[in-house]
Amino acid sequence: MPKYVFVTGGVLSGLGKGVVTASTGLLLKSMGYSVTAIKIDPYVNVDAGTMNPYMHGEVFVTEDGGETDLDLGHYERFLNTELTRKHNITTGQIYRIVIEKERKGDYLGKCVQVIPHVTDEIKSRIREVVKESHADISVIEIGGTVGDIEGLPFLEAVRQMRIEEGLTNTFFVHVALAPIIQTGEQKTKPVQHSVNELRRIGIQPDAIVVRSPKPLENEARSKIALYSNLPGNAVFSNPDTDIIYRVPLILGDEGYAKYLSIKLDLDFREPDLSQWEAFVNKLTSSTKEIRIAMVGKYTKLHDSYISIIEALKHASAWEGVKPVLKWFEATEIERGAVNPEGIVHSSDAAVILPGFGKRGSEGKIKTIKAFREANKPVLGICFGMQLMVVEATRNLLGLNKANSKELDPQTPHPVIDLLPSQYSVKHLGGTMRLGSYPIKIVKGTKAWEMYGKEVVRERHRHRYEVNPKYVDALEKAGFRVSGWSPERYVEFIELRDYPTLYFGSQPHPEFRSRPLQPSPIYSYFIRIVSQTRS
Ligand code: GLN
């Protein structure tokens, strides 16, 4: 029988429920069980692909091309696994199936209702994903906060699952906030209220994970236990920490794994987190700082670029350096409020971040030029890579009006053009070139030094590509294409005789970066930056 751990959240969003979910999974996995994770997003969108990163953070792309919630990135990184699009369930997907069934006549004349038809569909979808993943234990995070109207059908479905699957096959953990007020007191009332809200809809949690700026005080712990109808050892302290990778260690020390194993009737084996701990130590012990300019358009919400930030951390830990990320808003550079030379002066390297649309693009191009002229390392990801090519076409080939067709459909030099497959696209949802594709690496290039193999796979999310008609000209200007797709799209491009590293990647290698297996591209980039600092 598969086992289910359901994670709910209370008080407010942004408490790191995804990290608690991923940490729960890692602890169980480190006991020797096979574990998978699912994110439920109660919003009506079918997937995260059409959402502005400002609203919801990064869109995480799975191997199979799912455009999913960023929490799947946490799960993949913590569990060192690959999930499919099916591991992100939304209201939009559930209703779409229910409505399709109704139109086909599958409900045989019944009145189609939230309970049981929508809840049945939710349960069957969860069970299907669990079955396909062959996991012993599935950790399922229910997005949003208890009390949200849109979350109710999902909570009702998992409430039913406890009865159907049995007590020792299900476990409910509730993550809530105990704020510290001006007087310095740790307040438990918000946690109590959110637990009450959960019990009102029929779910008695088995454990509470309490987020707080400080470790949970004994008195607060007893109070929360009492009001939650739980013993004191079912309340776990999850204080603010400098890095998220500490959370499994913190919860492990609190006896969370042991408690889970008792409640789920699992054999307890001391979780082996030695490698994880080694990574955390490396990440936190490096003192040599490298300053990286992060140039993008959604820089006010760092979650918009979370996989890139994490990939830089993974690589830095193993290269023995401490990355200091300096954020620069491309729109401000564009309007002249921030000077690109100043950015170059105060940074050792630049990452030109992914993105869409015209706004801010000229700011990125100016920054790329300044870094290139200073011979400092530049890594461009997706849109960043495309703009590196635009900049070079303008300034090295003298084609001043060169541009991407995305930004200037009338440009006389469309050095970045729509992928041929995109011309017929009408709907925006799920229609980009998405997911993992093989890339052929050219020997004798930086890409070859990074990967050291002929064929690699990385994940994609784009509609535009380097226009094949310009490849010869770009090569004359000093570029070489170092990675090709099977259809001969440019995947990686680099400047041949650049003193440090000038590398553009059409795919997003950050999606495959793991704490214990950093991305070859990010590792190489960090190594070069570190060398320029010695
Ligand atoms: N806007 C670009 C494209 O669609 C790049 C997308 C991205 O950076 N993910 O090709």
Side-chain angles (χ1 to χ4, degrees), residues 417-437:
D417 202 352
L418 259 190
L419 285 157
S421 57
Q422 290 291 320
Y423 277 99
S424 54
V425 165
K426 291 200 178 63
H427 294 294
L428 292 183
T431 53
M432 283 187 241
R433 179 172 181 248
L434 289 166
S436 177
Y437 288 97

Side-chain angles (χ1 to χ4, degrees), residues 236-515:
F236 301 93
S237 167
N238 179 192
D240 288 355
T241 157
D242 50 350
I243 52 160
I244 55 172
Y245 300 108
R246 267 195 220 285
V247 174
L249 303 172
I250 294 170
L251 292 176
D253 286 346
E254 287 263 301
Y256 182 51
K258 176 97 195 165
Y259 183 76
L260 272 163
S261 67
I262 295 169
K263 296 299 263 187
L264 284 169
D265 200 14
L266 295 166
D267 288 333
F268 176 72
R269 308 160 198 152
E270 196 57 59
D272 179 8
L273 288 169
S274 49
Q275 281 184 305
W276 192 266
E277 232 173 320
F279 162 72
V280 171
N281 288 339
K282 282 195 186 294
L283 186 59
T284 49
S285 62
S286 312
T287 51
K288 180 178 168 185
E289 291 192 349
I290 52 166
R291 301 161 304 168
I292 301 174
M294 304 287 279
V295 188
K297 191 168 62 172
Y298 316 108
T299 53
K300 288 200 178 71
L301 181 69
H302 295 181
D303 268 0
S304 304
Y305 306 108
I306 186 160
S307 290
I308 294 179
I309 300 172
E310 298 309 318
L312 289 167
K313 285 187 197 158
H314 305 158
S316 297
W318 299 107
E319 295 299 330
V321 293
K322 180 177 179 182
V324 178
L325 306 186
K326 298 163 72 80
W327 295 88
F328 295 99
E329 180 58 38
T331 47
E332 285 173 23
I333 307 167
E334 186 165 281
R335 68 180 174 87
V338 176
N339 168 6
E341 280 71 35
I343 304 175
V344 173
H345 186 71
S346 64
S347 320
D348 302 310
V351 177
I352 312 299
L353 296 161
F356 294 82
K358 196 166 172 57
R359 199 173 56 85
S361 61
E362 290 300 326
K364 284 184 177 172
I365 290 172
K366 281 187 197 165
T367 314
I368 294 167
K369 179 167 185 276
F371 270 88
R372 185 177 55 74
E373 288 174 348
N375 287 329
K376 288 195 175 179
V378 182
L379 175 62
I381 305 294
C382 203
F383 193 51
M385 171 266 212
Q386 296 173 356
L387 295 181
M388 283 165 81
V389 171
V390 171
E391 187 276 326
T393 316
R394 288 184 191 173
N395 299 317
L396 294 177
L397 290 173
L399 304 176
N400 297 340
K401 294 208 167 108
N403 215 331
S404 163
K405 267 213 184 153
E406 178 182 1
L407 311 174
D408 177 6
Q410 312 306 334
T411 171
H413 303 294
V415 66
I416 305 293
D417 202 352
L418 259 190
L419 285 157
S421 57
Q422 290 291 320
Y423 277 99
S424 54
V425 165
K426 291 200 178 63
H427 294 294
L428 292 183
T431 53
M432 283 187 241
R433 179 172 181 248
L434 289 166
S436 177
Y437 288 97
I439 300 165
K440 219 167 168 303
I441 305 292
V442 179
K443 284 206 176 123
T445 61
K446 304 271 187 197
W448 180 265
E449 283 178 46
M450 292 167 178
Y451 288 98
K453 38 180 188 183
E454 270 169 49
V455 180
V456 301
R457 295 189 77 87
E458 295 292 358
R459 301 185 196 171
H460 298 74
R461 183 170 188 252
H462 63 124
R463 292 188 202 281
Y464 292 82
E465 58 155 340
V466 174
N467 187 339
K469 289 187 198 129
Y470 285 84
V471 169
D472 283 348
L474 287 167
E475 290 197 339
K476 281 196 196 94
F479 276 100
R480 67 185 164 193
V481 177
S482 52
W484 292 101
S485 81
E487 311 86 341
R488 275 190 96 70
Y489 303 138
V490 173
E491 295 276 23
F492 301 134
I493 190 161
E494 51 193 66
L495 270 183
R496 224 174 326 169
D497 299 319
Y498 197 74
T500 56
L501 180 71
Y502 192 84
F503 192 87
S505 170
Q506 182 59 75
H508 296 261
E510 60 274 13
F511 292 139
R512 289 173 65 102
S513 178
R514 305 281 182 264

Side-chain angles (χ1 to χ4, degrees), residues 288 290-292 321 348-350 377-378 500-501 523-534:
K288 180 178 168 185
I290 52 166
R291 301 161 304 168
I292 301 174
V321 293
D348 302 310
V378 182
T500 56
L501 180 71
S523 293
Y524 191 92
F525 171 68
I526 293 291
R527 196 172 315 141
I528 297 291
V529 183
S530 166
Q531 283 164 11
T532 65
R533 291 281 287 166
S534 55

Side-chain angles (χ1 to χ4, degrees), residues 123-199:
K123 289 187 292 181
S124 92
R125 178 68 188 277
I126 293 173
R127 288 186 175 116
E128 181 189 319
V129 180
V130 168
K131 196 165 167 212
E132 281 172 9
S133 64
H134 302 289
D136 300 323
I137 308 158
S138 302
V139 191
I140 299 158
E141 175 184 354
I142 299 165
T145 307
V146 172
D148 295 346
I149 290 176
E150 56 191 13
L152 280 174
F154 292 99
L155 290 168
E156 169 58 18
V158 301
R159 182 194 70 77
Q160 294 173 14
M161 282 184 75
R162 160 146 273 187
I163 300 157
E164 292 163 7
E165 300 291 331
L167 260 182
T168 57
N169 293 325
T170 50
F171 183 95
F172 282 87
V173 51
H174 185 63
V175 184
L177 174 76
I180 292 180
I181 58 168
Q182 259 178 357
T183 58
E185 276 173 286
Q186 194 166 41
K187 301 303 265 184
T188 63
K189 191 71 89 193
V191 181
Q192 296 173 35
H193 276 298
S194 75
V195 173
N196 277 348
E197 192 62 27
L198 201 55
R199 287 165 56 193

